[in-house]
Amino acid sequence: MSATEHKLFVFAHIDTEWLPAGQLTLSEDGTQLISSTFAYGLRYLQRPGALEVDPVALSLRDKLSVRGKALFPPNDLPAFGGIRDAAPDAWGRRVIESRLKVPANSLPESAYLLHAGSQRVGALDIRASRESSATPGFGTWNNLEYLMEAAQRIDEGLPVPAALEEIFAEGSALGGARPKATVRDEERVLWLAKFPSRRDALAVPEVETATLRLAAIAGLTVPPLKLLELGSRTVMLIRRFDRYWAKAGADVPLPEDLLSTAPAYGLAEKRLGFVSGLTLLACDELESPDKSYGDLAQAVRRYCHPRVIRSNNRELFERLVFNILVSNDDDHLRNHGFVFDPRLGGWRLSPLYDVMPRASLAPERRLHLGVGPQGRAATLDNAFAGRETFTLSAEAAAESIAKVWKVVREWRVFFEQYGVEPQQIEKIAPAFRHIDEVATRELRKLIP
């Protein structure tokens, strides 16, 4: 095997500026990543507020332990989780391949990392040299329709004409499989625009938005959402939760009701570090179906700030309950996120994202991750049996189930209020479970 080494530089966005955090060395054989090493810069480690690239393999809890050392990914993985989370996922890779006019999956990981641009999720950037500058990577409300057209051409495997090439900056850093782009609104606030696909059998933007709004009413943490009509098509907008506004040198975000006026107050846009559940469990994507919500709860206890462990694990349990009731089986480890909160000086569960019901007529259903002692079986009894993993008493777990069910059982009313068309409601209806279908009589007696 003749591997080639590529030396890249990792930058971190601290307060209001990009700083070189360290050097990443990738060993690649063609398109295959063989191994990685990372070394923090000594000056970076001395800076107050230095962000750790990931809390598992590249933790800064003990800066002396990493000073001047080449570090390796855990569990013999070829890549660091924090770097992998800063890399483009399926959609971003398709945008890069379209831009470079190359076949699918034909580039080495170093190329995908370098071409993703500086608006990637989280607070990291990967560049070719220490002198490289940050790249722009966002559209505006005014060019949203052009971005949607370009994204749909990429989605259909068609070439992108010169007039629509702005998508190459706005969409190249993004994850997931569906067409999307990063845009700023009139007040400079950053949003993720998720476009419809012509292959959709369902009105995905409308249904996903309604589902997340339902989750918010059930008490789960959800970013602000919008729906925009562009001609005959609808775009879902979800505000980037890895960005916030504050004064330079201060870590207190602007209150939610004043966010849109942030630039007028002379505040600066800052970034929150981000890692996925995949990173906290230090595993490969192929191992994701072998992991469970209980594993995530243990990772919360190990890596999240002590002040949020109890509340984060209770919300994680309630997200599990919600996913069971709406049949969201796309709950893989990349769809669970964590952000570094500078107010805490530690990690916490991110807001909820990428929740989509899947219609099914099967009486027995499974989630992607393990639910409880009965594995991936999507029942409330299975979740309730695993409650101690989330440090929940029987009473607290039953209260959480009741809280979520009280809202989800009225899902049709809420979907109608949100403007989801009746035929779309009927199409998605088989995804929603009645509590009698997913809980035994014994458990239902415990639910207040």
Side-chain angles (χ1 to χ4, degrees):
M1 183 180 293
S2 57
T4 303
E5 278 198 352
H6 295 273
K7 296 187 183 299
L8 309 178
F9 289 85
V10 177
F11 283 70
H13 197 267
I14 308 298
D15 195 24
T16 60
E17 60 180 332
W18 286 108
L19 296 174
Q23 183 172 285
L24 174 69
T25 302
L26 303 180
S27 179
E28 298 171 319
D29 181 21
T31 61
Q32 184 180 3
L33 177 61
I34 306 300
S35 63
S36 307
T37 62
F38 180 82
Y40 279 109
L42 298 183
R43 290 181 61 188
Y44 180 75
L45 292 175
Q46 294 168 359
R47 181 180 175 92
L51 174 71
E52 56 193 9
V53 173
D54 87 43
V56 179
L58 300 172
S59 170
L60 291 183
R61 290 183 181 181
D62 179 8
K63 292 185 180 181
L64 289 177
S65 67
V66 300
R67 184 179 176 87
K69 294 181 180 178
L71 305 170
F72 299 86
N75 299 332
D76 295 321
L77 292 169
F80 292 97
I83 301 297
R84 178 179 51 194
D85 290 327
D89 198 7
W91 172 253
R93 288 169 189 253
R94 291 181 66 185
V95 174
I96 291 169
E97 290 155 1
S98 178
R99 175 186 181 187
L100 300 178
K101 297 179 172 60
V102 298
N105 304 313
S106 63
L107 299 172
E109 189 63 21
S110 55
Y112 290 112
L113 281 168
L114 287 174
H115 283 284
S118 302
Q119 288 294 350
R120 63 190 85 206
V121 66
L124 301 180
D125 197 11
I126 291 87
R127 305 179 192 172
S129 73
R130 196 185 297 270
E131 292 73 35
S132 300
S133 300
T135 58
F138 54 85
T140 66
W141 253 222
N142 296 331
N143 68 352
L144 196 52
E145 195 162 3
Y146 295 100
L147 291 174
M148 180 169 63
E149 185 178 345
Q152 289 182 335
R153 291 186 67 85
I154 293 172
D155 190 40
E156 295 168 16
L158 301 173
V160 177
L164 301 178
E165 286 185 352
E166 198 167 347
I167 188 67
F168 294 143
E170 282 75 4
S172 58
L174 304 173
R178 295 186 57 80
K180 57 181 69 69
T182 295
V183 296
R184 286 196 190 278
D185 63 18
E186 299 91 337
E187 304 294 342
R188 291 177 48 208
V189 175
L190 206 62
W191 298 76
L192 178 66
K194 301 183 77 170
F195 303 122
S197 169
R198 289 194 174 95
R199 294 193 293 267
D200 289 340
L202 193 70
V204 174
E206 293 94 325
V207 171
E208 184 177 2
T209 301
T211 304
L212 282 170
R213 286 174 171 166
L214 189 72
I217 293 172
L220 304 183
T221 306
V222 175
L225 302 158
K226 293 183 181 181
L227 281 174
L228 283 184
E229 300 293 333
L230 295 178
S232 61
R233 291 170 289 183
T234 303
V235 179
M236 172 186 176
L237 292 150
I238 180 168
R239 205 182 75 200
R240 290 280 295 263
F241 57 73
D242 57 340
R243 302 290 193 268
Y244 68 101
W245 294 88
K247 292 181 180 178
D251 289 327
V252 181
L254 199 66
E256 189 68 38
D257 58 345
L258 295 179
L259 181 87
S260 63
T261 58
Y265 282 92
L267 302 179
E269 184 182 65
K270 303 187 182 184
R271 304 187 179 210
L272 299 177
F274 173 88
V275 293
S276 67
L278 202 63
T279 291
L280 287 201
L281 296 190
C283 66
D284 185 83
E285 282 185 281
L286 295 177
E287 300 174 84
S288 182
D290 300 325
K291 303 301 181 181
S292 69
Y293 282 87
D295 294 327
L296 281 174
Q298 290 176 2
V300 166
R301 287 196 290 274
R302 184 172 183 181
Y303 297 110
C304 288
H305 193 277
R307 280 169 50 191
V308 300
I309 288 174
R310 183 175 293 275
S311 61
N312 277 190
N313 267 341
R314 184 155 191 168
E315 172 147 350
L316 186 61
F317 179 79
E318 290 173 359
R319 292 183 186 187
L320 166 58
V321 171
F322 186 81
N323 286 337
I324 290 170
L325 291 172
V326 306
S327 298
N328 171 41
D329 60 2
D330 194 30
D331 57 328
H332 55 78
L333 289 175
R334 274 192 182 271
N335 280 344
H336 295 273
F338 299 83
V339 291
F340 189 89
D341 190 331
R343 297 167 299 179
L344 294 170
W347 296 90
R348 62 171 170 82
L349 192 65
S350 80
L352 190 62
Y353 60 94
D354 282 1
V355 177
M356 185 68 188
R358 189 170 74 87
S360 172
L361 297 177
E364 297 181 359
R365 303 180 193 179
R366 303 202 303 172
L367 299 187
H368 177 92
L369 295 178
V371 172
Q374 281 77 51
R376 294 159 59 193
T379 69
L380 294 179
D381 287 80
N382 194 14
F384 186 78
R387 63 190 179 278
E388 291 182 0
T389 312
F390 303 87
T391 326
L392 293 175
S393 65
E395 182 181 10
E399 287 175 352
S400 285
I401 291 172
K403 168 186 162 186
V404 177
W405 166 240
K406 181 180 178 180
V407 172
V408 176
R409 68 184 180 184
E410 303 292 342
W411 73 271
R412 283 180 179 269
V413 175
F414 288 112
F415 272 43
E416 289 170 359
Q417 290 177 358
Y418 300 146
V420 181
E421 296 292 334
Q423 65 268 28
Q424 296 295 323
I425 290 176
E426 293 309 312
K427 280 185 179 181
I428 202 62
F432 290 85
R433 313 299 304 277
H434 192 278
I435 197 167
D436 293 347
E437 299 174 302
V438 290
T440 60
R441 180 176 299 178
E442 290 74 21
L443 176 58
R444 295 199 302 273
K445 288 179 180 178
L446 299 176
I447 297 173

